[in-house]
Amino acid sequence: MLTPDPKYTELRRRRFRPIPVRMLVPNVITLLAICAGLTAIRLSIEGRMELAVAAIVFAAVLDGVDGRVARMIKGQSKFGAELDSLADFVNFGVAPGLMLYFWQLQELNNGGWIAAMVFAIAGGLRLARFNASIDDPNKPAFAANYFTGVPAPAGAILAMLPFYLAFLGVSKPPAMLTAGYTLLIASLMVSRLPVFSGKTVRMRVPPEMVLPVFVSVVFFVALLIGYPWHIFSIGSVLYLLSLPWGWKSYRDHERKAALAAQPAAATEAAAAASAPAATFSPAAGDTKDERPSRLN
């Protein structure tokens, strides 16, 4: 009779150990975001563009929630990070590109499909670069407050600006203009443009301002519910106008870091220049040449 290997039994026990619920909650939120993105594609095929855009916005909200929930309940995992990247590619790369194609870009035939495809690929490349640069040791400290290029969720929201304007009664722009705008947002996503993220900003509300902040938030939510396309249109335009400010702010930080590094570099150079003299200089009382006479 064969005796089971205890190492194999222990390996199976570790492999199939129970998973805490806190590790599942963020992944469930991410899967709901993927469902919203796929539903947006279906709604765009059926011509229900307002619901399709709302589904993408809902997916963007879930994308902002899942990471914060994971950090709050300590449910981060490598699996969750990979699933989140897949969800972002589907929701903010593939889905908006297909929506624009079904809405107007198909009028350009192959040209419209190329524009939609380039946008989707740009979203995938943007996410791959983000994942590859997370643990970059050469990144300066101030760079943590900036994205490299427009992030994928913001790119998707910006790319749908023609939808918002159409929902407000503005006539459809020419298909070539929509394709050019789509390619512009795609280029911003894969560019090296520093974009302010606000991740490291820590805001504290004074006690006397708590109630006004509550009222302002409620007022903004009411505006968003009552006038969603006005808010998204204005927000998209303001975001695009703020991109040069983010670039200027990053350059200012770079200049300050370079100026701060100059005294330290000068000190290190002076120390390196004086080190050989200190090493090879003879002792104060040692003036006798101890070399053999034939070398003198």
Side-chain angles (χ1 to χ4, degrees), residues 14 54 71 88 108 122 144 153 158 170 191 204 224 227 233 243 258 272 292:
R14 290 200 307 267
R71 289 188 292 271
D88 289 351
L108 301 176
L158 292 175
V170 179
S191 69
R204 293 182 178 274
L224 188 60
Y227 306 95
S233 299
L243 294 180

Side-chain angles (χ1 to χ4, degrees), residues 20-90:
V21 175
R22 62 183 173 81
M23 304 293 291
L24 299 179
V25 173
N27 296 330
V28 171
I29 297 175
T30 304
L31 289 174
L32 290 176
I34 295 177
C35 293
L38 295 175
T39 303
I41 296 175
R42 174 193 170 181
L43 292 171
S44 65
I45 295 174
E46 296 174 352
R48 296 186 285 176
M49 301 309 302
E50 290 195 20
L51 291 177
V53 172
I56 295 297
V57 173
F58 180 62
V61 172
L62 293 178
D63 178 72
V65 167
D66 60 359
R68 287 169 175 78
V69 170
R71 289 188 292 271
M72 186 184 304
I73 64 177
K74 297 182 179 179
Q76 302 101 317
S77 64
K78 182 67 175 175
F79 176 84
E82 297 297 333
L83 184 63
D84 185 68
S85 295
L86 174 63
D88 289 351
F89 175 61
V90 173

Side-chain angles (χ1 to χ4, degrees), residues 11 28 68 76 87 114 123 137 144-145 186 210 212 242 244 292 294:
L11 179 62
V28 171
R68 287 169 175 78
Q76 302 101 317
I114 290 173
N145 207 33
V210 171
S242 71
R294 60 187 177 86

Side-chain angles (χ1 to χ4, degrees), residues 202-214:
R202 298 290 183 266
M203 298 183 63
R204 293 182 178 274
V205 180
E208 64 275 10
M209 292 298 296
V210 171
L211 291 181
V213 168
F214 282 158

Side-chain angles (χ1 to χ4, degrees), residues 136-161:
D136 185 4
N138 300 320
K139 215 184 243 188
F142 64 85
N145 207 33
Y146 296 87
F147 293 119
T148 302
V150 173
I157 298 298
L158 292 175
M160 295 189 298
L161 178 60

Side-chain angles (χ1 to χ4, degrees), residues 106-284:
Q106 60 183 342
E107 298 175 9
L108 301 176
N109 299 321
N110 290 336
W113 175 246
I114 290 173
M117 189 167 51
V118 167
F119 180 85
I121 291 173
L125 293 174
R126 169 67 179 77
L127 293 165
R129 184 179 63 189
F130 174 78
N131 293 337
S133 63
I134 288 178
D135 301 322
D136 185 4
N138 300 320
K139 215 184 243 188
F142 64 85
N145 207 33
Y146 296 87
F147 293 119
T148 302
V150 173
I157 298 298
L158 292 175
M160 295 189 298
L161 178 60
F163 290 125
Y164 313 147
L165 298 177
F167 299 155
L168 292 175
V170 179
S171 59
K172 263 188 185 183
M176 284 295 297
L177 182 59
T178 302
Y181 177 74
T182 303
L183 294 175
L184 171 64
I185 301 301
S187 65
L188 289 175
M189 291 168 66
V190 297
S191 69
R192 304 292 300 179
L193 180 70
V195 179
F196 186 73
S197 67
K199 285 184 175 181
T200 60
V201 175
R202 298 290 183 266
M203 298 183 63
R204 293 182 178 274
V205 180
E208 64 275 10
M209 292 298 296
V210 171
L211 291 181
V213 168
F214 282 158
V215 173
S216 300
V217 170
V218 172
F219 179 70
F220 176 77
V221 173
L223 281 178
L224 188 60
I225 294 174
Y227 306 95
W229 312 130
H230 296 79
I231 298 298
F232 283 122
S233 299
I234 295 173
S236 298
V237 172
L238 291 179
Y239 189 92
L240 289 172
L241 294 177
S242 71
L243 294 180
W245 174 75
W247 176 84
K248 181 180 181 302
S249 175
Y250 188 89
R251 291 292 177 262
D252 291 341
H253 279 98
E254 272 190 333
R255 282 192 289 269
K256 290 179 182 177
L259 291 175
Q262 284 179 358
T267 303
E268 291 179 0
S274 61
T279 302
F280 296 107
S281 59

